[in-house]
Amino acid sequence: MALHKLGKDPESPVNNSPTVYYDDETDNYVLQGWKVLDEGRLSQMDIPEHETVIEFPRRMLQFFPEVNSGTTEL
């Protein structure tokens, strides 16, 4: 498995998060973002024990190949 870093949030004050990765083995995206801890929002979701919820800014959509060019170039 190889993760390919597609982009980091250009507006992150310390340039470490959020980040978009592509997993070339599973053909899935892996997202690094802010952990959602707000009980009000979490209570509106049905989250299985093996999953987690992150918050991810809309401006990061530019790093998904389907959005910016229609192809995956890794």
Side-chain angles (χ1 to χ4, degrees):
M1 170 180 83
L3 286 180
H4 303 273
K5 187 186 306 179
L6 301 181
K8 284 189 164 283
D9 185 353
E11 295 183 26
S12 175
V14 289
N15 201 27
N16 346 334
S17 184
T19 308
V20 178
Y21 297 90
Y22 174 72
D23 181 329
D24 65 8
E25 186 175 301
T26 64
D27 195 31
N28 289 324
Y29 293 105
V30 178
L31 305 178
Q32 175 185 338
W34 304 294
K35 195 181 286 188
V36 175
L37 300 173
D38 178 63
E39 289 300 323
R41 292 195 287 167
L42 291 171
S43 69
Q44 297 176 56
M45 297 181 247
D46 183 20
I47 306 163
E49 195 62 36
H50 65 279
E51 294 182 0
T52 191
V53 176
I54 65 163
E55 190 161 346
F56 197 75
R58 173 181 251 165
R59 66 181 170 267
M60 295 293 293
L61 292 174
Q62 66 179 311
F63 296 110
F64 290 90
E66 293 85 354
V67 173
N68 69 25
S69 69
T71 62
T72 303
E73 294 183 32
L74 303 173

